Amino acid sequence: MKVLLCAVNAKYIHSNLAVYSLRAYAEKYRDQIEIAEFTINHYVDDILREIYKKKPDFLAFSCYIWNMDMVRELIGEIAKLLPDTVIWVGGPEVSYDAACFLDEMRQVKGVMTGEGERSFRALMDYYVEGEGSLEEISGITFWKNQGQIVTNPSIDFLEMDELPFMYQDMKDFENKIVYYESSRGCPFSCSYCLSSIDKRVRMRSLALVEKELQFFLDRKVPQVKFVDRTFNCNHRHAMGIWNYIKEHDNGITNFHFEIAADLINEEELSVLQGMRPGLVQLEIGVQTTNPDTIKEIDRVMNLEKVKNVVAQIHSFENIHQHLDLIAGLPYEGYDSFVRSFNEVYEMHPNQLQLGFLKVLKGSKMHRNAEKYGIVYRSHPQYEVLFTRWLSHDELLTLKGVEEMVEVYYNSFQFAHTIAALEREFDQPFEMFLKLSEYYERNGLNHINHSRMARFEILRDFILDLETGREKWYENWLIFDLYLRENSKSRPVWAKDPVQWKEEAVQFYKKEQKEPFCLKEYEGYTYRQMMNMTHMEVFDIDVLGDGAERETAVVFDYRERNPLSGDAVIHRIEISK
């Protein structure tokens, strides 16, 4: 029997943990189980062709809010092309109201609800070996032959050590994020989140986790992303893992954790402080700073403790921090969200994600949507349209701000210019709002601008502000431009580097003879060093206080900041 587990991921760099876990748990049938991963950016026709060519006897889809519309379309067409193929589905998007889904999608034989490993293995026993009956399999909803939908009892939660390690050959994961779970469940009850349904937190034993992390370390996997919902809810577990990766650091692998910052204690801060820069990155869901909203969504958070912890970690200068906000929550109107934004922005995260409430089926937010006056899209991703506190016009304004934050803050490409520009506004939110309005006013939205075009647009925006400090900002723009890339093109308003060409030649000739700044370039000629690095002379002190004094800088792209990707920079003396 040919079994195909199909995943349609949001991006190419993602992999689907679920389908690999199902196959690993049904190890007995591994030779008969194939995995096919696609993305929502594929054409439906291309996915259909690939599935049809494989001609599976049993086909299962992993269903989420980001792929559900495409999966529905695929199922409808596959059922026509392969009428004898048995189709099953699983995942959070179909588990809550499985019977309703089956009634709508009659081409589907059944749904694996909840944790799917045991259910899937039992299905393999049934379909491959002919053992038992569907009525005996826990955790499934299915069509009986008589046209009746049957919902079997829920399946018991697995102990984490029962799950086999799913990774063997890492060739399938080249250029992709590797996902790993050391726990399931969440101790919190946030009303917008499905993780609150499973409150019994189960931990994988540290001995197993360490062995499996070493597998990734030995293979120098670029990034391992823990999918644990609140990684540090168990102090001993978190410390064991953080100490292990610190002690066995291979200098390459990065580990991503989603944490509750207010649970961090001094011992954990101490071990984090000693990490190699870039070894770990932390995602912290703040969501809102409105105390009424925090209470209403059943969130437990000590905001002052979050601020203190984020500030301490920021001071270590070795850990990327990603902070999240959600717009559209109860009691959070436009003005309240602006306050939340400004408070979180002032924490200086490396990334600030401005998300919008998604009303997930099965969540408490879904049950209370009418009470809150929350109106949301009828189809995935069920994103909020407006609430009793936030109008659709205001939401569209926040969408514009979100886009500007992504382009000009989260990209890291304009960090120093944006930091300098903040002084022109009373609050950070206002800066991004004005940028968004500038885009709207000049017809710049919905265009895939090049990197250089983004610099030109930001300069034009600054000119439009009429600050009287345009030349000062141009220096910061050029600094940001070369900090990330040895750009061969140059803005028309930038100074002509021929002004310091002779001084640059003399500097590089000296470096070739007696390396001082560019010691890693031994064996290269001065002309090669000139091509591989970049020299710029600024009108301001970009490496000091930004005062108007000339500064010569060399950007070295062979070495980069592990958190930002910035080039290493050297202040140099040149004679003019």
Side-chain angles (χ1 to χ4, degrees), residues 492-506:
V492 295
W493 42 266
K495 290 193 300 185
D496 189 344
V498 74
Q499 298 176 37
W500 57 83
K501 182 176 180 180
E502 289 303 317
E503 289 82 1
V505 169
Q506 294 306 313

Side-chain angles (χ1 to χ4, degrees), residues 315-333:
S315 72
F316 300 160
E317 297 185 346
N318 65 339
I319 293 174
H320 173 107
Q321 293 188 94
H322 173 135
L323 271 58
D324 298 334
L325 281 170
I326 297 178
L329 293 171
Y331 296 104
E332 181 102 274

Side-chain angles (χ1 to χ4, degrees), residues 515-569:
F516 180 73
C517 293
L518 306 177
K519 296 179 181 179
E520 300 298 319
Y521 290 77
E522 185 177 352
Y524 289 93
T525 68
Y526 79 90
R527 291 187 181 277
Q528 288 173 319
M529 285 191 280
M530 288 181 73
N531 287 328
M532 296 170 71
T533 65
H534 176 78
M535 177 186 287
E536 189 78 26
V537 177
F538 297 95
D539 298 323
I540 62 175
D541 184 5
V542 291
L543 301 185
D545 56 8
E548 294 185 7
R549 64 176 74 93
E550 195 172 77
T551 313
V553 173
V554 168
F555 298 86
D556 180 0
Y557 303 99
R558 297 189 75 183
E559 298 291 329
R560 291 182 180 268
N561 183 305
L563 300 189
S564 64
D566 291 345
V568 169
I569 49 181

Side-chain angles (χ1 to χ4, degrees), residues 327 354-356 358 377 383-384 392-406 429 436:
L354 198 169
F356 295 83
K358 294 171 177 58
R377 291 183 179 273
E383 191 170 280
V384 63
H392 190 63
D393 286 327
E394 291 168 334
L395 185 139
L396 290 178
T397 298
L398 297 182
K399 287 276 187 180
V401 170
E402 175 206 20
E403 179 64 21
M404 294 302 98
V405 171
E406 285 298 312
F429 183 89
S436 174

